[in-house]
Amino acid sequence: MPGSYPDRIRELALYDGRFDAYQLKAQGCDVLFASYPAGTTIAAHTHDTDNHGVIIKGELILTMNGKTQRVGAGQWYCVPAHVEHEAHFEVQTDEIEFWFNAEKEK
């Protein structure tokens, strides 16, 4: 799998989904170390988690609520649960994503 991650991260289980990522499971949250080849597009979709991410290399082009924003290296973004969004990556991009359960555990 591509991506500029330390060996310890590369030893994590692979995420089984629409993109390549190493996955770290935690209570109430999954952490994904994701890599997207240039030209990758993730079609409009929703999910049941509140997603927060930081781009560590490259750029995410995120469309949500009819607005498109560019998120570059060192910048954070948030996609709330159940909000339709899509993503595009013009250049090779690596990011760390935190997928929090939408309902906080009590």
Side-chain angles (χ1 to χ4, degrees), residues 66-94:
K67 296 179 183 174
T68 299
Q69 64 176 321
R70 291 180 176 264
V71 184
Q75 294 181 308
W76 286 86
Y77 69 90
C78 175
V79 176
H82 312 292
V83 173
E84 186 172 272
H85 60 284
E86 61 186 78
H88 182 70
F89 303 89
E90 293 177 343
V91 298
Q92 163 67 40
T93 301
D94 296 338

Side-chain angles (χ1 to χ4, degrees), residues 6-74:
D7 289 342
R8 188 73 175 131
I9 300 302
R10 297 174 74 83
E11 293 171 3
L12 295 171
L14 293 177
Y15 169 67
D16 182 23
R18 294 182 298 267
F19 54 88
D20 291 333
Y22 299 102
Q23 184 173 22
L24 174 65
K25 291 189 172 278
Q27 185 175 5
C29 177
D30 285 343
V31 181
L32 299 175
F33 300 85
S35 296
Y36 305 92
T40 298
T41 295
I42 299 175
H45 66 284
T46 64
H47 39 71
D48 296 333
T49 55
D50 290 321
N51 292 13
H52 296 261
V54 61
I55 303 301
I56 59 174
K57 177 178 134 186
E59 181 182 59
L60 159 65
I61 302 168
L62 176 66
T63 302
M64 180 172 56
N65 296 325
K67 296 179 183 174
T68 299
Q69 64 176 321
R70 291 180 176 264
V71 184

